[in-house]
Every structure is written in C-alpha cells, then in structure tokens.
Amino acid sequence: MTTLIDLAGYLAAEQAADEAVKDVVATVAAACVQISRVVASGAISGSLGAAGVVNVQDEEQKKLDIITNDILRDALKGCAAVAGLASEELEEIETTGRQGGFLVTFDPLDGSSNIDVNVSVGTIFSILPAPAGRTPTEADFLQPGRGQAAAGYAVYGPQTMLVLTLSTGVVAFTLDASGAWLLTHGQVAIPADTAEFAINMSNQRHWAEPVRRYIDGCLQGKAGPRGKNFNMRWVASMVADVHRILMRGGIFLYPWDSREPDKPGKLRLLYEANPMSLIVERAGGKATTDGQAAILDIQATKLHQRVPVVLGSANEVAQVGAG
Ligand code: AHM
Ligand code: MG
C-alpha cells in the first residue's frame, strides 16, 4: 500500500501559500476533527436535538450548531494568524485582539436539518485578508469572494473528508482512524458536462421563469430540448450536494425565489456561497447567481447576506444562463 501524505506534509510542500494562511487552515482542520467526533457520537453524547433558541437567521438552533460553533470559535481565537471571525451562528463579528493576518468566516455545521436523521452535514470556511495595523470591523469582512486567501469544507459522511483550495487547485483529504487528514484526491476537477441536477423541487412555484424553463427542459429528458435524460439528487446539505458535484459533476441550484423579496435566495454569501464558489471555480466549474454573474465578484453589503446560487459543471451552469 502506498503511503499517503498528511495535511501537515501537504501544507509544508505548498510553497506558493502564505505560512500564516497555512496556520489558519491547520487550525480549522484540527477543529473539524473535533467536530467530526462530536457529530459521530450523536445520541450517545446527548448532542442531538434542538437547543431551544433561535439564531440571527431566525432559524431554530440545534444543540450541535452551538457546540460546533464554540469549537471553531475557540480554536480560531487561539490561532496567532487570526484577527477576527464571523459565523452563521453569531449575530456580530468577533475580534481576537490581534491585528493583521486573516479573518475567518464559517458555517460550523451546514445542513442542520439533517443532523438528527444521521445524514451528511459539514463545516464550511473562508479565509480573508485582515486589514494591517488596526482591529478589524464588520466592513472588513464585506470583501468580494475573489480575494479569499483560502477556502474549504469538511463533510461528515460515510468518510469524513476535508476539501481545500489554497493558492491554486483543489485537493481533498480523508480522515483516518488516528485523526490524521490524508491526501486522497490530489487534483479535483469537475467534468464540464453532466446529466444530474440538484434543487429543492418543492419550491418550484416560487422560482423565476429562467430556472423553471431550465428544470422543465431537464425533466422532459431525451424527448425534450436537451435531448438526454437527467437524474436528480438533493441531500439538503450544501456540503454533501457540492461534494458530489466535485467528485462526479452535476449542477446545484438554490435559486432566487419569490418567497421573501428582501432575502434573495437561502444561502449565505460570506460563509457558504463564497467559499464553495472558490472551490468550484478552482476545480474548473462555474459558480453564479443565475447561470451568468459570478458569485465571487459580488461586493457584500451585509454580514449575513443571502444570494441565489447556481454552480457546478461549467456547460450546465451556462445552460441556465442561456435560458
Ligand atoms: P443551514 O446552514 O441552516 O443548514 O441551511 C443551509 C442548507 C444547505 O446546506 C442546503 O443546501 C439548504 O439549506 C437546504 O434547504 P432546504 O431545506 O430548503 O432544502
Ligand atoms: Mg449552512
């Protein structure tokens, strides 16, 4: 059996990446090992179920949302290269008392609705440059995703995996029984074509016309305008749905819908859409709001801003844009 290199070995060999970014990545990765253990322990540790509180998103927090948020927050506060952090579970940014280095935004446990039924969930993170010589403010977090210094996610599924982009390319590690991240996927590339889409069909009546037309074309299969049969998958954990697309292609849509006009989409820009978009683009895919406009070019205006998301296999995302 060949020996796989671990995360520390990979980071040491990555000459192009900043040493401080590597520290942040190593810190997040270590926190994800802890998170994977608490997630895996489920009912044994009494960590399933609702916490009985509502977060800044007006969503009921699960106990694990709070536990995992605390794990990441504590880890990042202890990391010398981190000046500030923002989380899906925290109303406001937090600073660490340090200046310069990096800001980290994260969704500590994405796919919360799946926790209690033992379906894959994950942690998503984005690392941004912090301002030099002063304490960061909320405005410093509102950067276009194109400027991310690194991004990644951990998926807690049949295998626990860490997917990462530093300066170029996308790599993936698998967690072994000893708690080491081993490099199992040296270069992740999303096929340009696909016949598999992921969308919550129950929202169909709320979609805009181009998305309706696109999905309708897929549903018509071989006899329809696309001339081929499509398959559909929807885990309802963005990490799991995007991970499948990274591994075998596909398109993921959480599009604009008419339910809440002041919340254009469900997913959050700074700690869900931006990090996933950097990973998807670096793996050769496209990440847009509507099949055309790149998510990474959006100038954020609010910490918990929501955006429509259409990402995945490049030619398929372009089909949505053409509609
Ligand atoms: P969360 O961060 O509160 O878990 O919400 C985000 C999740 C995504 O992982 C997933 O793509 C989406 O919400 C599923 O939404 P729905 O329940 O509408 O299918
Ligand atoms: Mg989420």
Side-chain angles (χ1 to χ4, degrees):
M1 206 174 113
T2 45
T3 311
L4 300 169
I5 69 163
D6 67 5
L7 179 64
Y10 170 79
L11 291 175
E14 276 296 288
Q15 309 275 340
D18 185 296
E19 289 304 314
V21 173
K22 295 180 192 176
D23 278 355
V24 183
V25 167
T27 300
V28 173
C32 289
V33 176
Q34 281 187 58
I35 292 175
S36 78
R37 294 202 173 120
V38 62
V39 166
S41 69
I44 299 169
S45 59
S47 54
L48 299 184
V53 268
V54 166
N55 69 7
V56 57
Q57 326 278 342
D58 266 343
E59 293 162 352
E60 194 180 90
Q61 281 179 311
K62 303 276 188 181
K63 287 185 203 163
L64 274 170
D65 285 325
I66 297 173
I67 295 167
T68 57
N69 186 64
D70 288 348
I71 290 172
L72 259 169
R73 173 163 61 175
D74 292 350
L76 291 169
K77 285 199 162 169
C79 176
V82 176
L85 57 92
S87 162
E88 175 175 332
E89 305 302 334
L90 298 169
E91 185 157 3
E92 293 178 354
I93 67 150
E94 292 189 1
T95 54
T96 62
R98 290 181 285 266
Q99 300 182 344
F102 296 93
L103 309 173
V104 183
T105 66
F106 56 89
D107 179 353
L109 204 60
D110 180 61
S112 298
S113 69
N114 283 323
I115 297 171
D116 294 343
V117 291
N118 196 11
V119 169
S120 298
V121 289
T123 299
I124 311 172
F125 64 95
S126 161
I127 304 176
L128 300 160
R134 62 178 174 80
T135 299
T137 64
E138 181 173 317
D140 296 313
F141 285 77
L142 308 181
Q143 306 180 26
R146 192 77 64 201
Q148 290 169 96
Y153 65 82
V155 56
Y156 314 108
Q159 302 104 48
T160 291
M161 291 183 68
L162 177 73
V163 174
L164 192 63
T165 181
L166 282 179
S167 39
T168 53
V170 178
V171 291
F173 301 81
T174 305
L175 190 65
D176 80 356
S178 75
W181 293 108
L182 302 181
L183 183 66
T184 46
H185 298 68
Q187 198 52 261
V188 178
I190 301 176
D193 293 299
T194 184
E196 196 163 75
F197 65 87
I199 193 166
N200 183 340
M201 285 293 298
S202 71
N203 296 326
Q204 187 174 27
R205 67 193 178 284
H206 306 297
W207 298 337
E209 208 37 51
V211 169
R212 275 178 201 242
R213 262 200 306 275
Y214 167 74
I215 294 294
D216 194 49
C218 296
L219 293 176
Q220 288 179 51
K222 218 171 165 63
R226 302 298 308 283
K228 61 179 179 180
N229 293 328
F230 279 77
N231 190 18
M232 194 200 88
R233 287 286 181 272
W234 184 251
V235 181
S237 285
M238 188 194 200
V239 275
D241 282 312
V242 172
H243 189 71
R244 184 186 59 252
I245 289 168
L246 281 163
M247 294 294 125
R248 71 176 187 206
I251 183 169
F252 170 94
L253 304 95
Y254 213 117
W256 176 91
D257 76 40
S258 59
R259 281 173 293 177
E260 292 181 83
D262 62 326
K263 286 184 188 164
K266 174 172 185 189
L267 299 172
R268 277 58 52 124
L269 177 60
L270 292 181
Y271 39 81
E272 292 175 327
N274 270 344
M276 288 310 202
S277 296
L278 192 68
I279 291 167
V280 166
E281 282 203 6
R282 294 255 176 96
K286 283 184 83 169
T288 71
T289 56
D290 56 359
Q292 288 185 314
I295 288 171
L296 293 176
D297 292 329
I298 296 174
Q299 172 58 58
T301 53
K302 282 192 290 196
L303 197 58
H304 297 288
Q305 180 172 342
R306 295 173 192 252
V307 281
V309 173
V310 177
L311 61 75
S313 292
N315 293 340
E316 203 56 31
V317 171
Q319 284 285 335
V320 180

